[in-house]
Amino acid sequence: FCSQAPIRATLFPGDGIGPEIAESVKQVFREAEVPIEWEEHYVSKEIDPRTQSFLTWESLESVRQNGVGLKGPMATPIGKGHRSLNLTLRKELNLYANVRPCYSLPGYKTRYDNVDLITIRENTEGEYSGLEHQVVRGVVESLKIITRQASLRVAEYAFHYAKTHGRERVSAIHKANIMQKTDGLFLKCCREVAEKYPEITYEEVVIDNCCMMLVKNPALFDVLVMPNLYGDIISDLCAGLVGGLGLTPSCNIGEGGIALAEAVHGSAPDIAGKDLANPTALLLSAVTMLRHLKLNDKADRIHDAIINTIAEGKYRTADLGGTSTTTEFTKAICDHL
Amino acid sequence: FCSQAPIRATLFPGDGIGPEIAESVKQVFREAEVPIEWEEHYVSKEIDPRTQSFLTWESLESVRQNGVGLKGPMATPIGKGHRSLNLTLRKELNLYANVRPCYSLPGYKTRYDNVDLITIRENTEGEYSGLEHQVVRGVVESLKIITRQASLRVAEYAFHYAKTHGRERVSAIHKANIMQKTDGLFLKCCREVAEKYPEITYEEVVIDNCCMMLVKNPALFDVLVMPNLYGDIISDLCAGLVGGLGLTPSCNIGEGGIALAEAVHGSAPDIAGKDLANPTALLLSAVTMLRHLKLNDKADRIHDAIINTIAEGKYRTADLGGTSTTTEFTKAICDHL
Ligand SMILES: CC(C)[C@H](C(=O)O)[C@@H](O)C(=O)O
Ligand SMILES: CC(C)[C@H](C(=O)O)[C@@H](O)C(=O)O
């Protein structure tokens, strides 16, 4: 591949522990000779009027042009008159599907074995419309918006994902017994798409029951697709089954094939700059980015090195019960490559 | 107590397995000489115009008059032009708080030990407003309504419950980072009430994070209070931690001190009439009703008999891996009394 022109990818190191764990990804990628050239963008200290947020227009343009990116944690600065950084990215880049694989890491014990789930979350509408009103004093309302277009799009993504990743079942998660119109429309769209994929088993599960079944027996599920808020809730629940957001990758898919991989954990300001952070979620997210770029050999090699390092157990960061620094853990992964 | 006049309580045996498990409660109460006289009401075959549902006006009046009741599972008949039975009860009786204790049953092993949580769910508004519209073709909206009155009322109930039940902490569960106005108002009300209970620790936890923490370490929580839909989701999740809805009690609290205890599992039509159903959830719900009536000795005795029967393991219904019939299991409980 040395003769191949490098692929440009946007990197948002983010805040807090972000720069440290981004450094870890850069090192591992260098060691694995991944043909990627990073275009780094930081969260700005000032609001960019074109984005109404602390994300600059240039940084968004960078993702649009490169088509791929990796994002560390971003803490939205406190104050008024601007939008959350995460939501700005989703809306501006039209990142309509959030894909979160949750699988048990060999050698890292939780209460659950052999978890292997994919949650696919509609990422642009639903309860995240931002439309809220005070009707009269003491009475407020929020609008949940479900559209046919966004529902079909995410359902299509979920079934296509299932088919191309050897998955057998798609479960649509909903509360259509209560929200018959909104969640009802979401289900209708899922059913329409399901008909085009007769080889994939399709089922519908009410969200409360889904959560109960997930904690009792996660093996009942395979790919789960759902409206925005349910996806927010269930993806975190599933991450919890295998150890938490520090260990689970995430990738956002946008119109035109954009992929923005992302560690969804927080920026952990308390341990920032102390070489204590666990870079696993960002590393595994970077692996999903490589798969999106069809760099599967690199993806497999890096993935195995991460998994093996954790499984071996000699080098682990404090959150996993170890005493390694970020640097030591990263070096161990490089040694496994 | 023999000289004491019996207390009248409404009993809705419900559908499917409902009558069998209600029979179990009646037997256990007889054996324990509980001074209760049941007033039984069944789901009607016709819609009562005064309730717009298959629940008769008389049955609602019975709960209003008695102030206490016990309800088995009710499957809402399929069709148009009427309301869900569960929702009708909540709205008509103004059952504003749904209290669900979730605790590990000694001797019944799940992945979690020593779970001991109480979820308190606002039960009348939020995402359950029933207000939905199609804005244009392919675009639908649901309204989530949060009011100061209902939020204060359920928060007050939660803190009072915590205080009177020796609980130390109340966690308000929300998504106010996204729904700033609705969930924001809910939190504001919780904070106001929290100030009146300085002896109770108060915290606020975002729902996605809450679900992750619950599956990782439920011991982090004590009493949880939240808007309607989050309560629906989290109470089922918590039930899953200790074995499912077949084992967890529930009690609805209404204005004027009404208490309607309820098994929240389904009516299991597939095993109805076969003497196979597990009456535990309804029995434990009946125990919460006794506590509400301050019949604590009876409540304790029956509670212990249920727990000991399950712990002993000799008589268990099929859902718990045993081979006992409902009748045998019930008899075993009576023998433990
Ligand atoms: C930070 C918050 C706005 C965000 C969300 O609710 O989507 C987060 O929980 C996530 O899942 O990415
Ligand atoms: C049956 C359904 C309408 C109900 C609800 O959503 O409240 C149920 O899930 C419950 O928790 O009692």
Side-chain angles (χ1 to χ4, degrees):
Chain A
F1 72 90
C2 284
S3 59
Q4 199 189 318
I7 299 162
R8 293 182 74 80
T10 308
L11 177 64
F12 293 101
D15 310 309
I17 57 172
E20 294 159 75
I21 59 179
E23 186 54 42
S24 171
V25 172
K26 288 192 275 180
Q27 269 178 39
V28 172
F29 271 37
R30 258 197 309 271
E31 186 73 20
E33 299 182 330
V34 178
I36 277 192
E37 198 170 281
W38 295 110
E39 221 174 273
E40 284 189 40
H41 285 275
Y42 284 84
V43 177
S44 160
K45 299 240 174 309
E46 269 152 46
I47 294 179
D48 185 321
R50 284 164 300 178
T51 68
Q52 292 169 56
S53 102
F54 293 93
L55 284 167
T56 62
W57 182 256
E58 287 74 27
S59 66
L60 298 181
E61 271 302 296
S62 164
V63 187
R64 285 194 196 99
Q65 296 238 321
N66 296 329
V68 281
L70 178 68
K71 171 186 165 294
M74 289 180 183
T76 300
I78 294 177
K80 299 251 154 170
H82 59 83
R83 297 191 289 173
S84 137
L85 302 177
N86 289 307
L87 298 192
T88 303
L89 280 167
R90 291 178 201 165
K91 295 241 164 160
E92 293 290 330
L93 300 174
N94 213 344
L95 299 172
Y96 66 85
N98 177 227
V99 184
R100 297 209 203 164
C102 282
Y103 45 89
S104 303
L105 292 184
Y108 182 68
K109 246 189 100 55
T110 70
R111 290 184 171 86
Y112 298 85
D113 298 316
N114 304 319
V115 175
D116 183 14
L117 299 167
I118 311 284
T119 65
I120 299 184
R121 162 184 183 185
E122 202 293 319
N123 219 12
T124 64
E125 56 177 30
E127 305 78 358
Y128 285 64
S129 71
L131 300 170
E132 296 189 288
H133 315 93
Q134 187 181 59
V135 182
V136 295
R137 239 183 110 78
V139 180
V140 288
E141 62 181 29
S142 305
L143 264 72
K144 165 172 169 173
I145 312 281
I146 298 283
T147 69
R148 183 169 158 77
Q149 192 213 354
S151 303
L152 282 175
R153 186 169 64 172
V154 75
E156 183 63 58
Y157 186 84
F159 278 93
H160 183 258
Y161 184 100
K163 184 172 174 170
T164 53
H165 289 72
R167 299 274 170 173
E168 285 171 11
R169 174 197 300 258
V170 170
S171 311
I173 312 304
H174 67 96
K175 190 79 194 178
N177 47 340
I178 296 299
M179 282 161 280
Q180 299 178 357
K181 292 204 178 157
T182 49
D183 286 4
L185 175 58
F186 184 80
L187 289 183
K188 193 163 168 287
C189 293
C190 288
R191 276 176 217 153
E192 270 181 51
V193 175
E195 287 200 355
K196 299 197 291 171
Y197 292 85
E199 69 278 31
I200 309 284
T201 306
Y202 171 67
E203 63 170 5
E204 297 169 355
V205 185
V206 181
I207 179 155
D208 45 338
N209 191 30
C210 177
C211 290
M212 185 172 73
M213 287 161 73
L214 277 170
V215 299
K216 285 185 73 172
N217 184 9
L220 293 171
F221 296 98
D222 189 351
V223 175
L224 299 94
V225 64
M226 56 218 128
N228 210 341
L229 181 68
Y230 309 154
D232 182 49
I233 293 171
I234 289 199
S235 60
D236 269 37
L237 188 168
C238 290
L241 301 176
V242 300
L245 292 182
L247 299 175
T248 46
S250 164
C251 190
N252 297 286
I253 305 296
E255 289 286 6
I258 283 182
L260 182 63
E262 153 191 44
V264 288
H265 56 66
S267 59
D270 50 320
I271 59 162
K274 296 189 179 155
D275 202 18
L276 291 174
N278 181 353
T280 302
L282 194 64
L283 281 162
L284 291 177
S285 299
V287 168
T288 70
M289 193 190 87
L290 294 181
R291 292 200 200 284
H292 185 85
L293 291 168
K294 302 267 182 324
L295 295 172
N296 285 323
D297 288 354
K298 299 289 183 200
D300 289 344
R301 246 184 95 205
I302 295 175
H303 182 263
D304 292 350
I306 301 165
I307 296 298
N308 292 336
T309 303
I310 294 174
E312 212 179 75
K314 201 169 155 205
Y315 297 97
R316 283 188 184 177
T317 47
D319 57 315
L320 300 187
T323 58
S324 301
T325 61
T326 313
T327 310
E328 286 160 357
F329 178 68
T330 306
K331 184 166 178 309
I333 295 170
C334 291
D335 292 345
H336 271 92
L337 277 167
Chain B
F1 72 90
C2 284
S3 60
Q4 198 189 320
I7 299 163
R8 293 182 73 81
T10 308
L11 177 64
F12 293 102
D15 311 307
I17 57 172
E20 293 158 76
I21 59 179
E23 186 53 43
S24 173
V25 172
K26 288 191 276 180
Q27 270 179 39
V28 171
F29 271 36
R30 258 197 310 270
E31 186 74 22
E33 300 182 331
V34 177
I36 277 194
E37 197 171 282
W38 295 110
E39 221 175 274
E40 284 190 40
H41 285 275
Y42 284 85
V43 177
S44 158
K45 299 239 173 311
E46 268 151 47
I47 293 178
D48 185 322
R50 284 165 300 178
T51 67
Q52 292 168 56
S53 102
F54 293 92
L55 284 167
T56 62
W57 183 256
E58 287 74 27
S59 66
L60 298 181
E61 271 302 298
S62 164
V63 186
R64 283 194 199 99
Q65 297 238 322
N66 296 329
V68 281
L70 179 67
K71 171 187 165 293
M74 289 181 183
T76 299
I78 295 178
K80 298 249 157 177
H82 59 83
R83 297 191 289 174
S84 139
L85 302 177
N86 289 306
L87 299 191
T88 302
L89 280 168
R90 290 178 201 165
K91 296 238 164 162
E92 293 290 330
L93 300 174
N94 214 343
L95 300 172
Y96 65 85
N98 177 227
V99 184
R100 297 208 203 166
C102 282
Y103 46 90
S104 304
L105 292 184
Y108 182 68
K109 244 190 100 55
T110 70
R111 290 184 171 87
Y112 298 84
D113 298 317
N114 304 319
V115 175
D116 183 14
L117 298 167
I118 311 285
T119 66
I120 298 184
R121 162 185 182 183
E122 201 293 320
N123 219 12
T124 64
E125 54 177 33
E127 306 77 357
Y128 286 64
S129 71
L131 299 170
E132 297 188 288
H133 316 94
Q134 186 180 59
V135 183
V136 295
R137 238 184 111 78
V139 180
V140 288
E141 61 181 31
S142 306
L143 264 72
K144 165 171 169 172
I145 311 282
I146 298 283
T147 68
R148 183 170 158 77
Q149 192 213 356
S151 304
L152 282 176
R153 184 170 64 172
V154 75
E156 183 62 60
Y157 187 85
F159 278 93
H160 183 258
Y161 184 100
K163 184 172 174 171
T164 52
H165 289 73
R167 300 274 170 174
E168 286 171 9
R169 176 197 298 259
V170 171
S171 310
I173 312 304
H174 68 95
K175 189 79 193 177
N177 48 339
I178 296 299
M179 282 162 281
Q180 299 177 359
K181 293 203 178 157
T182 48
D183 286 4
L185 175 58
F186 184 80
L187 289 184
K188 194 163 167 289
C189 293
C190 288
R191 276 175 217 152
E192 272 180 50
V193 176
E195 288 199 355
K196 299 197 290 168
Y197 292 84
E199 68 278 33
I200 308 284
T201 306
Y202 172 66
E203 63 170 4
E204 297 170 355
V205 185
V206 180
I207 179 156
D208 45 341
N209 190 31
C210 176
C211 289
M212 185 170 74
M213 286 159 74
L214 277 170
V215 299
K216 286 186 73 172
N217 185 9
L220 294 170
F221 296 98
D222 189 352
V223 175
L224 299 95
V225 64
M226 57 219 127
N228 211 339
L229 182 66
Y230 309 153
D232 181 50
I233 294 171
I234 289 199
S235 60
D236 270 36
L237 189 167
C238 290
L241 301 175
V242 300
L245 294 181
L247 299 175
T248 46
S250 163
C251 190
N252 297 286
I253 304 297
E255 289 287 6
I258 282 183
L260 182 63
E262 151 189 51
V264 287
H265 56 65
S267 59
D270 49 321
I271 59 162
K274 298 188 178 153
D275 201 19
L276 292 173
N278 182 353
T280 302
L282 194 64
L283 281 162
L284 291 176
S285 300
V287 168
T288 69
M289 193 190 88
L290 294 181
R291 293 202 199 283
H292 185 85
L293 290 168
K294 303 265 183 318
L295 296 172
N296 284 324
D297 288 352
K298 299 288 182 198
D300 290 344
R301 245 183 97 205
I302 295 176
H303 182 263
D304 292 349
I306 301 166
I307 297 299
N308 292 336
T309 304
I310 294 175
E312 211 178 76
K314 200 168 155 208
Y315 297 97
R316 282 188 183 178
T317 47
D319 57 315
L320 300 187
T323 57
S324 301
T325 61
T326 312
T327 311
E328 286 160 358
F329 179 68
T330 305
K331 184 167 179 309
I333 295 170
C334 290
D335 291 346
H336 271 92
L337 276 167

